[in-house]
Amino acid sequence: MKRMYALSLLFSVLGLTLCLFETNAQEPPLSDRIVFEEIDGILSVEAEYFYKQTHDEQRKWYVTHKENLPNVGRDEDTPHIFESSNNAYLEVLPDTRITHDDKLIPGENFSNEPGKMAILYYKVAFKHPGRYYVWVRAFSAGGEDNGIHVGLDGTWPDSGQRMQWCEGKHKWHWESKQRTEAVHCGEPWKIYLDIETPGEHEIMFSLREDGFEFDKFILAKGTTFVPEGQGPAATISNGKLPTAFEKVSENFKFN
């Protein structure tokens, strides 16, 4: 109790709003007053710090961390908190299509069209307009949990559709590839957002496949940047974003 009070006090001092997660929590941990900031052509955001979620009637994004293990239906994966950035991540649940033999049901466990299901929203600010390539850190355990869509300011451009993971299975892995008819495992440098004006914008992510595990995302100006490890720290325009989740060891087990 003392620890939770101290954490709440810290967030109050910094002007942040944190929802202390309850079981099966899917509510945004930060208010819409929090704006993530691009610095020197790099925007870094922790996935669990979305400010709202919509279109979640069939599937929702749930936060997983040391104190919370979502239990909302089928999910055969063990938690992957170890080595997740900020010691927490999101997963879109329930996960009913785990293998290719499981039935694909558009509008329920799959959406090839962006902006239709389980949409996350993030407020961001750019100082330098231009083309930004989108990198996402995800954990994929199979072939049916490795796709997502990204959009900007209420739009879903072709360059943000069908992000795809084939490499880096069973570990946290950065990727920035688009699934195409020619290359189903994805082509590099085809996932990007064009930021036309400086100032505040809104980044959105929507479901493509249920079971997707989402740790962090980066928008990088230019093709020379490739993230490593947990990537650069997330920054906000009105102070330092505190760590809200406890670190776990590789052999940590949920009760």
Side-chain angles (χ1 to χ4, degrees), residues 144-218:
E144 309 304 332
D145 62 353
N146 58 345
I148 197 173
H149 306 288
V150 60
L152 173 69
D153 294 333
T155 68
W156 300 93
D158 291 342
S159 61
Q161 299 181 25
R162 303 181 310 281
M163 290 194 73
Q164 184 79 5
W165 281 252
C166 284
E167 300 175 356
K169 294 291 184 181
H170 304 286
K171 64 180 180 180
W172 290 112
H173 180 71
W174 289 103
E175 198 58 273
S176 180
K177 292 181 179 179
Q178 184 179 59
R179 178 186 174 97
T180 64
E181 285 296 325
V183 184
H184 284 189
C185 275
E187 297 185 50
W189 312 121
K190 288 183 176 289
I191 293 290
Y192 59 83
L193 298 174
D194 288 326
I195 309 300
E196 297 183 355
T197 59
E200 190 172 307
H201 293 270
E202 189 171 68
I203 303 295
M204 308 100 64
F205 286 88
S206 73
L207 173 147
R208 185 171 187 270
E209 296 175 316
D210 65 6
F212 189 88
E213 298 184 26
F214 184 14
D215 185 35
K216 193 171 186 176
F217 71 90
I218 293 172

Side-chain angles (χ1 to χ4, degrees), residues 239-255:
K240 182 180 179 181
L241 189 67
T243 299
F245 307 101
E246 290 187 12
K247 189 174 182 178
V248 301
S249 63
E250 185 175 7
N251 59 357
F252 176 80
K253 302 294 184 183
F254 281 96
N255 294 326

Side-chain angles (χ1 to χ4, degrees), residues 80-89 137 139 170-174 215 229-231 247-250:
H80 302 123
I81 301 172
F82 180 66
E83 293 189 345
S84 63
S85 180
N86 199 41
N87 310 310
Y89 64 93
R137 193 171 192 248
F139 195 110
H170 304 286
K171 64 180 180 180
W172 290 112
H173 180 71
W174 289 103
D215 185 35
Q230 295 183 3
K247 189 174 182 178
V248 301
S249 63
E250 185 175 7

Side-chain angles (χ1 to χ4, degrees), residues 21-88:
F21 292 106
E22 300 175 354
T23 302
N24 298 341
Q26 73 274 354
E27 297 303 315
L30 297 182
S31 78
D32 60 3
R33 293 180 293 128
I34 305 307
V35 180
F36 289 88
E37 184 178 36
E38 171 257 319
I39 298 177
D40 297 329
I42 300 292
L43 174 77
S44 180
V45 180
E46 296 288 350
E48 63 271 14
Y49 286 151
F50 61 99
Y51 84 88
K52 73 175 179 179
Q53 176 172 190
T54 65
H55 296 68
D56 55 5
E57 296 81 10
Q58 293 293 329
R59 294 292 184 273
K60 293 182 181 180
W61 294 94
Y62 291 85
V63 180
T64 296
H65 60 90
K66 183 178 180 180
E67 303 298 330
N68 186 74
L69 177 60
N71 181 17
V72 290
R74 187 180 180 187
D75 181 19
E76 297 183 6
D77 283 81
T78 57
H80 302 123
I81 301 172
F82 180 66
E83 293 189 345
S84 63
S85 180
N86 199 41
N87 310 310

Side-chain angles (χ1 to χ4, degrees), residues 83-128:
E83 293 189 345
S84 63
S85 180
N86 199 41
N87 310 310
Y89 64 93
L90 298 178
E91 184 172 8
V92 63
L93 295 170
D95 182 13
T96 62
R97 191 162 192 258
I98 296 173
T99 72
H100 192 69
D101 293 332
D102 294 317
K103 187 176 182 179
L104 185 151
I105 308 174
E108 183 175 311
N109 59 20
F110 175 82
S111 179
N112 203 39
E113 187 176 354
K116 298 300 181 182
M117 296 179 62
I119 305 175
L120 299 167
Y121 298 80
Y122 303 85
K123 285 191 179 294
V124 301
F126 292 90
K127 296 179 182 178
H128 306 95

